[in-house]
Amino acid sequence: MSDLESGAAAPAIELREAMRTARSLRRFRPDPVSDEVIARCLEAATWAPSGSNAQSWRFVVLRSPEVRAVLGPAFREGWDWVRTIYGQADERPAPDDDSREARLTRTMLHLVDNFESVPVYVLFCYRLTGFVPEFIEGGSIYPAMQNFLLAARAEGLGTVPSTWFTFAEDKLRSVIGIPDEWRIASLVSVGWPVGKHGPVRRRPLHKVAALDTWDNPLLNG
């Protein structure tokens, strides 16, 4: 039995700790990520539930120059779109600006500027059945992606999901050869991070969870 089959080579991390510290990381070292490590993370993805256990998913590991040539411009177009939507100036934060917004913007810009150099991308796709609305069908791929993100966190990898591939989806589908009946749910950038994992920032539970009626908090703040 191989290490992948037995799970013997997979690192151990407490589940809640992995979830608590699996924040998006956008700066990566140039070091390659091996097929074996990616395979362990994708094996974890296959353990996720799916509707009728159909497992109608496909995970495409991307490293080719042809894919990079499509994704780099697409992500820069995506950044311009987001910047316009939020009314951000076409400027970089001042070097002495240490605000949370400035730090986030710097990491975003680093990813966008260097997107062709991301060590590896993973494309998460699902096959349409036509039995339920397309939005609901997508519900069977995102648990798999979350398993992948947590497994990558356990490996020490940094990840960040994105939908900016949509700015060049036709070209991307053509380069990869994705059949018409398949949809792309997300693209995840993966690499050994510059910096470190840390606690995620989220709204308190009483702001997002209700009991029985919409406005009745599950727990008081």
Side-chain angles (χ1 to χ4, degrees):
M1 180 180 291
S2 69
D3 286 342
L4 177 59
E5 293 170 326
S6 67
I13 184 172
E14 198 272 325
L15 177 60
R16 291 180 64 86
E17 177 66 10
M19 292 189 290
R20 191 183 70 87
T21 59
R23 65 185 181 188
S24 293
L25 297 174
R26 300 177 178 86
R27 294 180 296 171
F28 305 111
R29 305 199 307 263
D31 312 59
V33 181
S34 72
D35 288 346
E36 290 74 19
V37 171
I38 293 294
R40 283 201 297 268
C41 297
L42 287 175
E43 183 183 40
T46 68
W47 296 335
S50 63
S52 300
N53 197 28
Q55 303 174 51
S56 298
W57 45 46
R58 186 78 167 174
F59 315 119
V60 188
V61 179
L62 303 173
R63 291 196 179 94
S64 76
E66 292 80 7
V67 163
R68 296 177 189 278
V70 171
L71 290 176
F75 271 65
R76 284 184 275 281
E77 186 175 349
W79 168 252
D80 287 340
W81 174 78
V82 167
R83 183 178 53 78
T84 301
I85 290 294
Y86 287 98
Q88 294 180 346
D90 189 15
E91 298 176 353
R92 294 173 184 260
D96 60 348
D97 187 347
D98 195 41
S99 66
R100 182 185 300 179
E101 181 180 356
R103 295 196 304 271
L104 175 60
T105 299
R106 287 192 192 98
T107 65
M108 293 289 293
L109 285 167
H110 181 89
L111 179 65
V112 168
D113 289 344
N114 299 278
F115 203 75
E116 291 90 338
S117 299
V118 170
V120 62
Y121 322 95
V122 180
L123 204 63
F124 286 78
C125 306
Y126 66 97
R127 186 176 60 237
L128 295 177
T129 65
F131 298 133
V132 295
E134 191 169 326
F135 174 78
I136 296 177
E137 288 205 86
S140 288
I141 186 66
Y142 292 113
M145 187 172 77
Q146 180 67 2
N147 272 16
F148 176 87
L149 297 177
L150 292 175
R153 167 64 187 91
E155 296 279 355
L157 289 165
T159 59
V160 57
S162 178
T163 57
W164 288 355
F165 67 84
T166 55
F167 287 90
E169 184 168 352
D170 289 344
K171 290 181 181 178
L172 186 63
R173 295 178 71 93
S174 177
V175 168
I176 299 172
I178 300 175
D180 291 343
E181 67 273 18
W182 287 79
R183 295 292 180 267
I184 305 174
S186 188
L187 182 137
V188 178
S189 302
V190 185
W192 302 109
V194 173
K196 59 183 180 180
H197 298 88
V200 298
R201 295 186 180 95
R202 297 294 185 265
R203 296 186 184 94
L205 186 61
H206 71 274
K207 295 284 189 180
V208 298
L211 176 64
D212 292 328
T213 60
W214 187 263
D215 292 322
N216 182 37
L218 175 64
L219 296 171
N220 292 321

